[in-house]
Amino acid sequence: MVQFLSTSVGGGKDEQPTETVEGCGDTKGGLCLIYLSAVICIKMKLYCLSGHPTLPCNVLKFKSTTIMLDCGLDTTSVLNFLPLPLVHSSRLSKLPGWVSKDGTVNLEKELKECAGRVFVDSQPEFCLPERELLDLSTIDVILISNYHCMMALPYITEHTGFTGTVYATEPTLQIGRLLMEELVNFMERVPKAQSATCWKNKEIQRMLPGPLKDAVDVWTWKRSYSMQEVNSALSKVQLVGYSQKVELFGAVQISPLSSGYSLGSSNWIIQSHHEKVSYVSGSSLLTTHPQPMDQSSLKNSDVLILTGLTQMPTANPDGMLGEFCSNLAMTIRAGGNVLVPCYSSGVIYDLLECLYQFIESASLGTTPFYFISPVANSSLEFSQIFAEWLCHNKQTKVYLPEPPFPHAELIQTNKLKHYPSIHGDFSSEFRQPCVVFTGHPSLRFGDVVHFMELWGKSSLNTIIFTEPDFSYLDALAPYQPLAMKCVYCPIDTRLNFHQVSKLLKEVQPLHVVCPEQYTQPPLTQAHRSDLMLELQPPPMPYRRCSVLNLPFRRRYERVYILPELANSLVPSEIKPGISVATVSAVLHSKDNKHTLQSVPKPPPVPPSKKRKRVIEEPPVVLAPKPLLSGAVPLEAFLATLQKHGITEVKVEETADGHILHLQAEDTLIQLEEDGTHIVCDNNEPLRTTLRDLVLRFLQKL
């Protein structure tokens, strides 16, 4: 047992110091550790700031730290806006304005109708993570899983008073920078003069047709950030490597693990001395270009926060790649062009590798392949230089030396050409039929808008959707009527429900926390119970703006004892092989490190003729009362009472021990496992005698 004169355990914003703490000691390698069991248990909280399960943004309050887990930007909101054409589009400019059926609401300048759908005619805006649920300026660190989950970073770091640190791997930082730069470029090169705001009025929004009517938190939607904000946000990023351990304020330790999804993508371990939280976001068990997923480090987690599962649980990625290649070849042979709306990094590397193997067998050797993006060149180069982040097969090529990705050879042989935009060199070298990879997958901005206007009227051409983030029907809505063929081949390598169920059985976390969408089948396939998480105990679901008290409480805290104080301890053996010692000490807490220090001696009183005031007297440190150990044997105690003239004793057995009725003395003695109570009415000499008799059977420490 440990007895303190003064203690202060924890010290975080949500933690209350405790005045008495009990615990046990352990000596390892000459260092004495004391584990304290706190009287007040401290909860762990999770705040959900995003409703999109594959673009998460959560905040974890653990010990005295506030940790943001990813800051994904929900770009599906842009589907409610008209596309931004690179050149004037007479078709879009002639779309009729929207007026309510009764004529009471006229928003012809803000809303346009196309093929039965209503779109906002303004610069596209994004649905940000929730910013009112908690004070984001209190966030200590932000952990980034992959470059798709950091697109909202400038909104968080530049406009909330954030002063903390962002942790990410180098590929995540560099490719995330490219994606942000591309987004800013797409928006700034086609500025819109007008800004639509009236349609966001709650009363007006209720009168709009769907899906505008059902859009979430439209008054919080924001336009894109600037490049200055991007650079400022990314200057706060600190690079980490896989399995590198980083200590946060002495309270917890964080460490990234390979998640197998994209270059540099990470899962995170958040660990204290006695608790472990795993954050699994955007992971893959498939063999593609990144390093394979580290599963073993996720074992023995108290809580596993799971998000970023596949958006296409019924679509096999290998099957989708096969469909992609066959549809592409069919279109080219028929004399048509193929348009592939895609991001500038990620799946495009696998598509180009697949085409490298497919081109010759399909007799497409003379077909030009174009990759158009403001960051196309940087993206292709980065994929070749991050060798240590690639799978083993690609790493070995670097040491041959060979480029790890075959698109380097496609570029050298002029089969793949990349351009920053459709202007300049591309316009003079462009020839058809061809295959064009360009962004943005939403079809609302970027060079893809130009090709939709250019090729949409011919049935010879085909658009192949490979990115799963957007509904292809919603993406195509403002281009209707459309003659070109549409093929949907979503390639999503993230964990499906079967894979994640198997993973969870292997790592066996005590509790699983996940988005609400994962705890029920999709609305369109309500009978598919295999498309949901079925676990025991059931996972804890969350949705946007929910706050969860995670299902375990901290009970122990590690405390160090100074060597000179440890040397003064005098252990007493209470059982064979078990010794205990009492200690009187002051608990000093700093940076979440707790140390037992010797009680300071009162300073000597200087001689003075003048009488000191009472309040100036040095504090008196009372010697601690001895601690008692052992049990009171019933028969021996009754015999001792008899020797002292107490014979009329009635014994009653209880669940916790025995109650002794001393009938002549009108007194009760309760003998229990964890304590002894003497109930005596106004007979202090008798109470003292009985106490002394009890103490004969106990050991003093």
Side-chain angles (χ1 to χ4, degrees):
M1 303 294 286
V2 183
Q3 185 174 359
F4 301 119
L5 294 181
S6 170
T7 69
S8 175
V9 177
K13 285 163 279 196
D14 290 335
E15 303 179 9
Q16 297 297 322
T18 63
E19 296 243 339
T20 57
V21 182
E22 295 180 350
C24 60
D26 183 15
T27 304
K28 295 181 180 178
L31 179 66
C32 185
L33 306 178
I34 295 182
Y35 300 93
L36 301 182
S37 176
V39 175
I40 299 176
C41 292
I42 300 154
K43 295 180 180 178
M44 180 189 295
K45 284 190 175 183
L46 184 73
Y47 299 77
C48 176
L49 310 187
S50 168
H52 198 303
T54 50
L55 296 168
C57 184
N58 299 308
V59 173
L60 180 71
K61 286 199 171 186
F62 183 23
K63 290 189 75 172
S64 55
T65 57
T66 303
I67 304 170
M68 178 173 279
L69 305 170
D70 285 328
C71 46
L73 183 63
D74 188 351
T75 51
T76 55
S77 58
V78 303
L79 295 175
N80 295 292
F81 292 78
L82 282 181
L84 296 178
L86 293 178
V87 295
H88 177 73
S89 170
S90 58
R91 183 187 69 84
L92 291 175
S93 62
K94 292 176 183 176
L95 291 176
W98 181 82
V99 181
S100 62
K101 290 181 180 178
D102 58 7
T104 56
V105 180
N106 186 335
L107 293 177
E108 289 182 320
K109 291 184 178 180
E110 292 193 2
L111 305 179
K112 303 292 182 183
E113 288 192 64
C114 179
R117 290 275 294 267
V118 176
F119 298 92
V120 183
D121 186 14
S122 179
Q123 197 87 4
E125 297 177 348
F126 305 103
C127 182
L128 308 189
E130 176 60 44
R131 295 194 287 181
E132 301 299 324
L133 195 60
L134 78 161
D135 183 0
L136 298 186
S137 67
T138 63
I139 292 172
D140 298 309
V141 295
I142 301 176
L143 308 182
I144 304 296
S145 298
N146 58 73
Y147 43 77
H148 288 298
C149 292
M150 67 183 296
M151 297 299 286
L153 191 62
Y155 295 114
I156 303 295
T157 62
E158 305 310 300
H159 301 286
T160 63
F162 173 79
T163 57
T165 306
V166 184
Y167 290 95
T169 63
E170 188 175 5
T172 296
L173 168 65
Q174 300 299 351
I175 298 175
R177 182 191 299 275
L178 295 183
L179 293 178
M180 291 182 189
E181 183 182 331
E182 182 184 58
L183 182 64
V184 171
N185 188 292
F186 284 159
M187 294 298 184
E188 290 185 349
R189 69 184 182 184
V190 192
K192 279 258 187 182
Q194 74 272 21
S195 180
T197 55
C198 294
W199 73 276
K200 293 183 179 182
N201 182 287
K202 288 184 180 180
E203 298 302 320
I204 293 178
Q205 191 190 0
R206 289 196 192 102
M207 304 174 66
L208 300 178
L212 275 180
K213 181 180 182 179
D214 305 314
V216 178
D217 296 343
V218 294
W219 54 92
T220 66
W221 291 6
K222 299 290 182 187
R223 289 190 173 193
S224 173
Y225 33 69
S226 66
M227 204 59 216
Q228 181 181 356
E229 290 171 317
V230 169
N231 291 329
S232 178
L234 297 184
S235 69
K236 299 174 175 66
V237 175
Q238 184 168 319
L239 299 181
V240 287
Y242 289 151
S243 300
Q244 178 182 340
K245 291 178 170 56
V246 178
E247 195 173 82
L248 302 182
F249 319 114
V252 297
Q253 199 176 64
I254 59 171
S255 181
L257 311 172
S258 174
S259 75
Y261 170 56
S262 61
L263 279 176
S265 63
S266 311
N267 293 321
W268 290 88
I269 299 294
I270 306 162
Q271 200 163 8
S272 70
H273 292 303
H274 302 286
E275 300 93 14
K276 178 178 178 180
V277 178
S278 296
Y279 176 58
V280 177
S281 172
S283 303
S284 176
L285 294 173
L286 299 182
T287 305
T288 55
H289 59 272
Q291 270 194 41
M293 179 181 177
D294 181 350
Q295 302 176 56
S296 60
S297 300
L298 300 173
K299 291 180 179 178
N300 304 317
S301 300
D302 294 288
V303 172
L304 187 145
I305 303 169
L306 176 69
T307 186
L309 300 184
T310 178
Q311 298 181 81
M312 296 293 147
T314 58
N316 180 281
D318 289 332
M320 293 295 101
L321 271 175
E323 277 195 44
F324 170 80
C325 290
S326 61
N327 280 284
L328 182 145
M330 198 184 308
T331 301
I332 296 297
R333 288 177 190 138
N337 302 291
V338 176
L339 179 62
V340 185
C342 62
Y343 295 111
S344 54
S345 182
V347 172
I348 188 172
Y349 302 145
D350 298 311
L351 292 177
L352 293 174
E353 184 162 1
C354 182
L355 286 173
Y356 173 79
Q357 301 164 352
F358 180 75
I359 285 173
E360 297 305 326
S361 62
S363 302
L364 299 176
T366 59
T367 303
F369 291 79
Y370 301 116
F371 178 23
I372 304 172
S373 165
V375 297
N377 183 52
S378 300
S379 174
L380 294 172
E381 287 182 349
F382 273 137
S383 66
Q384 304 286 15
I385 64 174
F386 287 132
E388 70 270 30
W389 306 92
L390 297 172
C391 63
H392 179 71
N393 288 341
K394 294 199 179 300
Q395 281 190 23
T396 54
K397 289 185 178 182
V398 176
Y399 302 109
L400 287 178
E402 285 181 13
F405 286 95
H407 56 243
E409 187 177 329
L410 291 175
I411 294 171
Q412 289 172 0
T413 56
N414 273 335
K415 291 176 181 175
L416 173 64
K417 296 185 177 182
H418 53 86
Y419 303 92
S421 73
I422 59 172
H423 305 296
D425 293 341
F426 173 76
S427 56
S428 60
E429 298 175 10
F430 174 59
R431 60 186 179 86
Q432 306 181 71
C434 63
V435 179
V436 173
F437 297 89
T438 189
H440 185 266
S442 66
L443 307 188
R444 292 302 181 269
F445 41 85
D447 300 273
V448 71
V449 176
H450 179 75
F451 288 101
M452 287 299 297
E453 297 286 342
L454 184 67
W455 291 343
K457 299 179 180 65
S458 173
S459 59
L460 289 175
N461 303 320
T462 301
I463 179 171
I464 306 180
F465 292 90
T466 58
E467 299 290 352
D469 289 352
F470 301 93
S471 159
Y472 77 101
L473 293 175
D474 290 338
L476 292 170
Y479 298 96
Q480 301 296 347
L482 197 67
M484 74 189 302
K485 293 190 288 291
C486 302
V487 178
Y488 190 48
C489 299
I491 299 172
D492 195 337
T493 60
R494 286 172 285 203
L495 294 172
N496 59 36
F497 289 100
H498 173 71
Q499 291 170 330
V500 82
S501 296
K502 186 178 177 183
L503 173 69
L504 292 174
K505 283 180 183 176
E506 291 176 2
V507 302
Q508 294 186 323
L510 292 181
H511 303 280
V512 175
V513 183
C514 67
E516 189 178 53
Q517 292 94 324
Y518 297 163
T519 61
Q520 52 202 19
L523 292 175
T524 54
Q525 296 173 295
H527 62 289
R528 294 288 300 271
S529 60
D530 58 321
L531 301 182
M532 60 180 283
L533 279 180
E534 291 187 294
L535 306 171
Q536 288 301 327
M540 292 184 65
Y542 62 78
R543 60 162 74 95
R544 184 182 174 99
C545 292
S546 61
V547 181
L548 298 185
N549 286 317
L550 297 188
F552 80 88
R553 298 184 177 200
R554 289 175 48 215
R555 290 186 59 240
Y556 296 104
E557 190 66 80
R558 179 174 288 185
V559 177
Y560 297 89
I561 186 169
L562 292 181
E564 57 268 25
L565 185 59
N567 288 335
S568 68
L569 301 183
V570 182
S572 301
E573 189 174 51
I574 57 172
K575 287 182 181 179
I578 299 177
S579 297
V580 298
T582 61
V583 56
S584 297
V586 172
L587 182 61
H588 179 263
S589 296
K590 183 179 180 182
D591 295 333
N592 290 290
K593 301 277 188 183
H594 310 296
T595 308
L596 286 179
Q597 300 178 346
S598 300
V599 178
K601 295 179 180 178
V605 181
S608 174
K609 295 180 181 179
K610 293 183 180 180
R611 186 177 177 181
K612 293 270 184 182
R613 291 185 190 177
V614 176
I615 58 172
E616 292 179 353
E617 293 292 332
V620 178
V621 180
L622 299 175
K625 292 181 180 179
L627 300 177
L628 304 174
S629 172
V632 180
L634 179 62
E635 296 300 328
F637 185 60
L638 289 174
T640 302
L641 289 177
Q642 239 178 355
K643 285 181 183 178
H644 286 76
I646 302 173
T647 55
E648 294 183 34
V649 181
K650 182 181 177 184
V651 179
E652 179 184 336
E653 191 169 344
T654 66
D656 299 320
H658 297 85
I659 297 178
L660 278 58
H661 297 259
L662 280 58
Q663 295 174 337
E665 292 78 9
D666 193 20
T667 297
L668 292 179
I669 303 175
Q670 294 176 316
L671 300 177
E672 298 174 346
E673 283 187 11
D674 56 353
T676 301
H677 304 279
I678 300 171
V679 182
C680 185
D681 187 22
N682 294 326
N683 192 340
E684 184 62 18
L686 176 62
R687 188 196 66 78
T688 305
T689 301
L690 293 175
R691 181 200 64 190
D692 293 340
L693 294 179
V694 169
L695 291 177
R696 289 185 183 185
F697 296 94
L698 300 178
Q699 185 177 0
K700 292 183 180 180
L701 302 176

